[in-house]
Amino acid sequence: MNRIAINPDLANVDYTDLLDKILRVLKNQQIFIISADNKRVKVDINEVVNEVIKLTPHNPLGNQKAARSATLNFTPGTEVSFREKIRQITGYIQYQLTLAIQQNPNSKSMDRFEFIHNLLTDLQTFQTDRKPTKLDLSYEFLPSKNLQKQRLTVKKDDKAKQKQLLKAHKVKISVDKPKDFYTALLTGLNNFIDINFSSSSDREEIGFILENLKQNTKSDIYQLQNLVNEETLGKLKKLSQIKYLEFLLENIDEKASSKNYQAKIYLQDLIRRLQILEDYINNPNKADGEYEVSYAQEKFNLQTVFSRGDAYDKLPIIPLVEGYLGESEHQHQEKIEFTFGLKLKFDGKVQTDGGKNVFQRNLDILIADPNSEENIKEFAENLNNKKNFVNKVLKIAFLYYFIFASTQDPKAANYDPREELNYDPLRRFEKDILSVFKGDDENAKKELLGKLKKGFDKFKVQKKVDILKEVLTNLIKRETPFPERQYPVHISVKNSILENDIETITERDTLFKNTLRGNFKDCLKYIHLGNPSTQTNILVTLPANITISEIHFLETPDVETFDMEYDITSGIKVLPAIFLGIDNQQCRNFYESNLKNRNLLVFPHRLEEQKLEKHQEFIYKIVYSLLAYLCLHVILERQIKEDAKPFIPLIRIHLKEKTDETAIIEKFIVDLTKVLSHLLNERYRCNEQGIVVTNPKTISFKIPNVLSSLYSVFPKKFTFLPTDNFRFQELNKLAIIVVSSRESDRRFGVDEKKSNLIGEIITIQTEDNKARFQLFKTFSENYDDHQKMFEYPTVVVDNVDKLYKRGYRHFIYIAKVPYSSTLHITQAEKDEELFFMSQNVIQSLKKERHDIKIYPMFFEKYYAVKVGNFKSTSLYIQDTLELTNLAEDRNKQSVIFFNLFNGLQVAKEVNYHGVMSYATLYNMYESTILDDKDIFTGLIDNESKLKNEITQCLTLFHFSRYEKSEKSGNMQLKLDPYQNLIGDESVSESASFKHIRDKTDFNSLAFLTHVKSILLGKDE
């Protein structure tokens, strides 16, 4: 049963007119064209979509506004007709395929199932013994020999000569919480009332209002708790950026060279100016209106923007707090600690702008004309684009002025870098910049932006940035240890969040300013980080501490060697599907010279030159997506024979690089093939890849990597060398389940939402010194109630049942990092923030089966610097945290148990290398649901054979999803094998595109998941 419930609190969608017009076109438009030799089927849904666009279907959203996403909350009375029309459209496609087959002289006696069966080609015909030079899908399927993994340690042995291979910097943020934040807040409110209201009548009136606020669990008092809970960690991360710069400053030896001397002053000046900016936006004596400026008729609040955690992200050199390395909450909840990775942003290249570096690219944005013809058209199509554009320009202008404005030319004969420290950016900013942007003269503002860029060029700021970059690059690679440093800080909520006018308070029945009921980001200015001894306007405060230190990774002699090979069973059939702009001569030439001799499907799509209006673009995307999926469904019906899944490679022929922002249609086709691949992998075997064909010189180098990635979906077998003495003893079957989700329907300001759950299952079978990895299946399911998805995820439970029947008892269960951004000071139950790791979900997976072992884990990437040379293709560490007393420690925490590093050398200009960090939850579950002993034995205990085998399987899984270096051709493990499901490159991210109204997202994966349920009869 998968009927969609209608939620009156969400925006409704009505696809009736759209589906009617698809049906109207299908009655007169043949989709399928079969080649005379019966080897190729052209699936010309592109022409159908173009004809549908001409009929101008109604907007499925109608005139509804304030929807953040809208996909499956049907207008009442239309859901039944939606199911009927999907079946009708499918029926037309089935009929048209049958008709096309019958009209072809060489196949007229076949039904559509026999015809497609004959179109399928045996995988053996794709196997070759030569390195592929063209993209005809021939591939070597060669084994990879002598892959290595080497164990690292963080424990220094003074007796052994241990070589340091890697180092990383980390920040630990600890917050002391009062046992009752609510009580501390009420004390602060009463103190504020005592100081600011002397009249007994005022105090009595406010007393009634305060009592009402205390009684209402959705009042401003609880909103403030939520504000501190949800937004403080972001502020602390931002402060950590400045503290990390101080940490680095302390370790620069200015006597080592003239560049070191200059760079140390530049870094000192950067810290000084960032602090000036912080003091300016946190000035308690300034009213909110003093921070208001405008440009191109758009308002901009300096205090609001520079209070946010991403305030400094436009700077060319700035620390980034990236990589979640653990979280611990003391048993009595009096303290919480977070640990994150640190890295430096190094004025890198901006790939979308011809390879310019960050500094120069942002200077170009600074002088971009909001009144240009191109921008005016863009703003007309989406008014929000203009606001974002103006925010970007002004953020760069004000930030760069504060940080880089100077009167010192580093190439002048008498240049003294110490003079940089005497420049007062605030005085000049208020005099020369702020006054202009508070006024109404738009020409003066535009002219001033141009002068800023000229000033940065005149005083050669880029040269100063380059010197600082060079010295810091050398500094982070220095082997000499940096001493740990601690930076105490207090988190305070300012009294300025409160009203001090009795009439306003009584009129609004609250002590708090109206902004608290709006966007929390606009309230960040009321949270201050600093020394409480200098603050007299504080409502409530929390002590905190920022600790910055290093992790040193040292080599050990423990090395294991193994081989990897494809493990492909006989009888696998292949049916490629090619997506291309067939009307382009270059695309057509590549297709005909590379692929025309194969049996395949051809899906033409539009070219970029034929621009669509915004409303047409949405119609094109939704109709093309629907028809592509329905056609593939019809074509592949009944093609699974005796559990031999056909392989459907989805190949894209591109004219533009993925970084080209003008490639609207090609980018959509990339996203669509990701969605189709995920849906098809539920029943078949599928993968997607694309190749850009506009530069013939590079094609031959790209083809091997395209094919390598395309065929990576096939099963792999690993064999450890006999000399390594590794054997699987505890595991014989292990399943990896990865889950994620994305909303499909939600309104702004409303908590209720519908969501789409997605995931995949990898099965591992082991024997002696061998392990076989296979993608068991993918899955997707829609949930009318987002919260119920975290209570009983039916599709996951059903698949665990299937695996249990096949003899699987050990399950690695991977989901997104839970609750890593809040302080947990509200009354919300911790389990609500565990999402897919909640007790309800774990209990639903285990049911009453006590022999099931579930290992909940999540992952994050942090960054390390390579300081030593090594030959291993992977490095790992299994004792990242000191775990000696963990079994007796009842603190609730996330525990890192495994780190994995890609050992291959990449480009010289790359300073940081990603490290995959795995963590689990400890002391989080009731023993009746998930025994911590299982987690301890399987993931934490360094002496456990089971842990060693599980982490071995994790390592091999990374290798099974290998990538190949374009330059060297060497195989390297996939550092993030979960990117298809979790993160910015996930299928959920790809599935999202904008409705006709640009503010509302449409989730094509959720949409097609519902269509799938109709086709498979699950909606009845």
Side-chain angles (χ1 to χ4, degrees), residues 500-743:
N500 54 20
D501 177 62
I502 186 63
E503 291 184 7
T504 304
I505 293 171
T506 53
E507 180 183 343
R508 294 186 53 245
D509 285 328
T510 182
L511 281 148
F512 296 88
K513 288 186 176 175
N514 197 40
T515 51
L516 189 58
R517 298 181 183 178
N519 187 345
F520 274 176
K521 299 296 183 187
D522 295 334
C523 299
L524 288 173
K525 55 194 174 187
Y526 300 119
I527 300 177
H528 177 66
L529 306 182
N531 187 338
S533 63
T534 61
Q535 299 293 314
T536 58
N537 62 334
I538 297 305
L539 180 61
V540 63
T541 187
L542 302 174
N545 193 69
I546 295 172
T547 304
I548 296 177
S549 60
E550 291 189 323
I551 310 172
H552 297 272
F553 300 93
L554 310 171
E555 70 175 353
T556 73
D558 297 345
V559 178
E560 291 174 329
T561 306
F562 50 91
D563 298 335
M564 182 185 79
E565 60 184 322
Y566 291 91
D567 192 19
I568 302 172
T569 56
S570 61
I572 293 177
K573 302 293 185 179
V574 183
L575 181 57
I578 314 302
F579 292 79
L580 76 163
I582 204 166
D583 292 332
N584 176 271
Q585 188 65 47
Q586 207 165 8
C587 274
R588 195 160 58 248
N589 289 346
F590 182 85
Y591 159 70
E592 290 180 351
S593 62
N594 285 267
L595 292 156
K596 199 170 183 180
N597 292 328
R598 289 289 185 192
N599 291 11
L600 45 78
L601 310 172
V602 180
F603 286 81
H605 61 72
R606 292 179 69 95
L607 297 175
E608 304 292 352
E609 288 77 15
Q610 305 158 344
K611 294 294 181 185
L612 292 168
E613 300 295 331
K614 276 290 180 184
H615 66 283
Q616 295 175 324
E617 185 182 314
F618 172 72
I619 298 301
Y620 187 87
K621 289 178 177 179
I622 185 175
V623 178
Y624 195 103
S625 299
L626 175 62
L627 292 179
Y629 177 67
L630 291 178
C631 287
L632 286 168
H633 169 80
V634 168
I635 289 168
L636 296 172
E637 279 184 288
R638 301 189 192 176
Q639 297 306 322
I640 298 178
K641 303 293 183 183
E642 298 177 359
D643 205 32
K645 298 179 179 180
F647 175 47
I648 317 299
L650 307 179
I651 309 294
R652 304 179 305 270
I653 299 175
H654 293 294
L655 293 169
K656 298 191 175 187
E657 299 287 347
K658 62 181 179 181
T659 54
D660 190 333
E661 295 178 357
T662 66
I664 305 298
I665 298 300
E666 287 194 8
K667 172 66 168 61
F668 158 67
I669 296 297
V670 172
D671 293 339
L672 173 62
T673 53
K674 281 188 177 182
V675 172
L676 293 174
S677 179
H678 184 84
L679 288 166
L680 292 176
N681 266 315
E682 186 166 347
R683 304 183 70 209
Y684 310 99
R685 185 176 279 120
C686 187
N687 208 352
E688 48 81 27
Q689 278 296 310
I691 187 167
V692 179
V693 298
T694 46
N695 187 352
K697 294 180 180 178
T698 63
I699 290 177
S700 60
F701 297 105
K702 292 180 179 178
I703 286 173
N705 296 321
V706 169
L707 293 171
S708 170
S709 297
L710 189 70
Y711 288 113
S712 65
V713 72
F714 279 101
K716 311 288 188 320
K717 184 169 67 176
F718 295 85
T719 305
F720 286 87
L721 298 189
T723 52
D724 285 341
N725 296 319
F726 175 80
R727 298 290 184 273
F728 284 102
Q729 297 174 337
E730 300 289 326
L731 291 174
N732 65 339
K733 288 185 175 182
L734 172 69
I736 300 176
I737 302 176
V738 189
V739 294
S740 182
S741 69
R742 190 182 183 93
E743 69 183 41

Side-chain angles (χ1 to χ4, degrees), residues 388-442:
N388 292 339
F389 173 83
V390 171
N391 280 355
K392 187 186 293 185
V393 170
L394 292 186
K395 183 177 180 179
I396 293 169
F398 298 144
L399 180 62
Y400 275 35
Y401 188 86
F402 262 97
I403 304 304
F404 298 120
S406 174
T407 56
Q408 305 298 316
D409 182 353
K411 288 193 174 182
N414 59 347
Y415 175 65
D416 183 353
R418 289 175 298 181
E419 288 297 319
E420 304 282 2
L421 300 173
N422 296 324
Y423 189 90
D424 185 353
L426 179 57
R427 181 180 64 82
R428 297 198 179 202
F429 173 77
E430 291 186 314
K431 177 185 175 185
D432 301 331
I433 309 295
L434 195 59
S435 57
V436 174
F437 282 94
K438 278 185 165 295
D440 299 322
D441 190 339
E442 292 297 323

Side-chain angles (χ1 to χ4, degrees), residues 797 800-801 804 844-852:
V797 174
V800 170
D801 288 344
Y804 186 84
S844 69
L845 298 182
K846 287 201 71 170
K847 293 184 176 178
E848 301 302 320
R849 298 173 296 213
H850 301 295
D851 55 340
I852 277 186

Side-chain angles (χ1 to χ4, degrees), residues 160-272:
K161 291 185 177 179
Q162 293 170 292
K163 184 179 179 182
Q164 183 182 178
L165 301 184
L166 303 167
K167 65 183 272 189
H169 287 158
K170 65 176 182 177
V171 56
K172 182 170 74 175
I173 298 172
S174 60
V175 180
D176 293 334
K177 301 186 295 179
K179 290 184 178 179
D180 192 341
F181 182 82
Y182 173 78
T183 301
L185 178 57
L186 289 182
T187 301
L189 286 170
N190 285 315
N191 289 338
F192 174 81
I193 295 168
D194 289 342
I195 293 170
N196 290 277
F197 299 95
S198 56
S199 165
S200 59
S201 60
D202 289 351
R203 293 162 68 87
E204 184 178 3
E205 183 69 29
I206 293 173
F208 286 127
I209 292 171
L210 183 58
E211 193 60 36
N212 287 334
L213 291 174
K214 289 158 60 177
Q215 297 299 322
N216 181 1
T217 56
K218 293 186 178 181
S219 74
D220 287 344
I221 284 180
Y222 298 96
Q223 279 288 92
L224 180 59
Q225 286 190 90
N226 290 331
L227 169 68
V228 175
N229 186 49
E230 294 177 20
E231 301 297 337
T232 301
L233 189 57
K235 296 271 286 187
L236 286 165
K237 285 182 178 181
K238 181 186 170 193
L239 179 60
S240 298
Q241 292 176 290
I242 298 177
K243 296 305 178 186
Y244 184 49
L245 292 176
E246 294 178 9
F247 178 81
L248 294 173
L249 178 70
E250 180 184 333
N251 288 284
I252 295 178
D253 180 5
E254 72 270 25
K255 297 178 181 179
S257 68
S258 60
K259 280 188 177 179
N260 273 32
Y261 174 74
Q262 281 182 263
K264 188 159 188 175
I265 291 173
Y266 295 153
L267 183 55
Q268 183 181 348
D269 195 38
L270 172 59
I271 296 166
R272 178 183 73 93

